[in-house]
Amino acid sequence: MPFQRIQSEKLSHSVVRQIEKLILRGILRPGERLPSERELSEKLGVSRPSLREALAELQERGLLETRAGAGVYVAEVLGSAFSEALIQLFAQHDEAVFDYLAFRRDLEGLAADRAARLGSETDLRVVDTIFRKMEAAHSKRNPDEESALDAEFHLAIIEASHNVIMLHMMRSMFDLLREGVFYNRKIMFKQRATRDQLLEQHRAINAAVQARDPLAAREAVQTHLDFVEGSLADWRQMEKNEAIARQRFEHEQQR
């Protein structure tokens, strides 16, 4: 018969599974410091030897790392999503930029749909709280803060979609966006008219998610990213026009 006697699980294995789930669900984030050994053993209700055994296993598997004199951290597991060579290739070609936006349009539209249907009340409160911070940053005319909150807002919707594969993939993509691999997001937030339009688009996304209207949420995200793509294309064209105008001017100066 294919039955085996049930074995009581070691405490260290229970600790491993709990920390694994927190990383998988995006609650513990790459680079985040774990509580001290004493505090963590108390929170988990296990002995320090059991905790040390669990942490050692997670470090061996590359999910945690020890930093000398600083403690235990969640490893930067997202850094391996793309090779350095591929990241540099992305940065050098506009084709990658617009493909990135098309990818976000499709995936984030789905995430917004799922968030409206499956997000918990707490998920929706988080999304709304970040949007209110965006409004405050907008009124203070703080484009840098508004740009940072833009990323937080989109990631909060992805978190509310409760799909762990989508979550980790999009976090990796947003890390590259923050680093300016695809384009400089802050430029758009420094133009007042564009900033006003972006805020209204985020307002529409938030309203649809809060109303639990999946179709409206998906369409609002897609409209927003279509606008971003169009704005970026216009900005790229203005850069090219300026380069041509500068060449003409320099040529005329030399005549």
Side-chain angles (χ1 to χ4, degrees):
M1 297 290 288
F3 299 103
Q4 296 178 347
R5 183 179 294 275
I6 299 297
Q7 301 289 332
S8 60
E9 187 174 48
K10 289 176 63 176
L11 285 176
S12 63
H13 292 169
S14 297
V15 173
V16 166
R17 284 217 319 278
Q18 184 172 154
I19 294 175
E20 279 179 338
K21 286 181 180 178
L22 292 173
I23 295 172
L24 178 66
R25 293 168 182 168
I27 297 169
L28 285 176
R29 302 187 177 197
E32 185 171 344
R33 184 181 183 276
L34 267 59
S36 68
E37 185 181 286
R38 178 185 60 79
E39 184 182 354
L40 192 53
S41 65
E42 289 176 357
K43 284 178 179 292
L44 294 169
V46 299
S47 67
R48 290 196 184 187
S50 292
L51 176 62
R52 290 187 196 119
E53 186 177 346
L55 296 181
E57 180 181 336
L58 290 164
Q59 288 179 67
E60 186 177 341
R61 289 166 49 195
L63 291 174
L64 299 179
E65 62 184 13
T66 299
R67 300 180 187 175
V72 178
Y73 290 76
V74 179
E76 295 289 349
V77 289
L78 297 186
S80 61
F82 300 103
S83 69
E84 187 60 35
L86 191 55
I87 290 171
Q88 290 178 11
L89 194 60
F90 288 159
Q92 293 168 5
H93 294 275
D94 280 355
E95 179 182 353
V97 174
F98 292 106
D99 280 352
Y100 165 77
L101 288 169
F103 177 80
R104 275 188 62 191
R105 184 183 185 277
D106 293 342
L107 218 60
E108 289 189 49
L110 174 60
D113 178 304
R114 287 177 57 89
R117 290 187 291 109
L118 305 174
S120 70
E121 291 304 311
T122 299
D123 286 324
L124 269 56
R125 278 201 301 273
V126 170
V127 172
D128 188 62
T129 298
I130 296 171
F131 175 71
R132 300 304 165 193
K133 289 180 181 179
M134 290 180 74
E135 285 185 312
H138 186 81
S139 64
K140 291 186 294 185
R141 298 184 181 181
N142 187 334
D144 289 349
E145 183 182 355
E146 201 169 355
S147 172
L149 287 166
D150 168 73
E152 283 189 38
F153 178 81
H154 285 275
L155 283 171
I157 290 175
I158 292 164
E159 289 172 351
S161 74
H162 291 279
N163 183 303
V164 295
I165 304 300
M166 187 185 297
L167 170 61
H168 288 283
M169 182 165 55
M170 292 308 295
R171 273 195 182 161
S172 178
M173 299 291 280
F174 269 91
D175 283 347
L176 294 182
L177 186 62
R178 286 192 186 99
E179 293 165 12
V181 169
F182 293 107
Y183 60 94
N184 187 343
R185 296 164 58 250
K186 293 180 181 180
I187 289 175
M188 283 192 290
F189 284 94
K190 287 180 179 175
Q191 301 173 24
R192 180 57 188 266
T194 304
R195 286 175 59 226
D196 289 346
Q197 288 175 283
L198 289 171
L199 182 68
E200 290 309 309
Q201 290 161 16
H202 287 108
R203 189 188 309 282
I205 296 169
N206 184 51
V209 171
Q210 301 302 327
R212 294 194 176 277
D213 186 334
L215 180 59
R218 184 190 290 256
E219 289 178 347
V221 166
Q222 291 173 341
T223 297
H224 165 60
L225 288 168
D226 283 344
F227 174 81
V228 171
E229 181 177 350
S231 298
L232 186 59
D234 290 344
W235 177 61
R236 287 280 205 266
Q237 187 60 52
M238 283 191 292
E239 279 190 321
K240 291 176 183 176
N241 293 346
E242 175 60 23
I244 293 169
R246 195 177 298 115
Q247 285 179 326
R248 285 176 180 157
F249 176 76
E250 290 171 357
H251 179 68
E252 287 298 323
Q253 293 290 94
Q254 293 170 3
R255 290 178 65 179

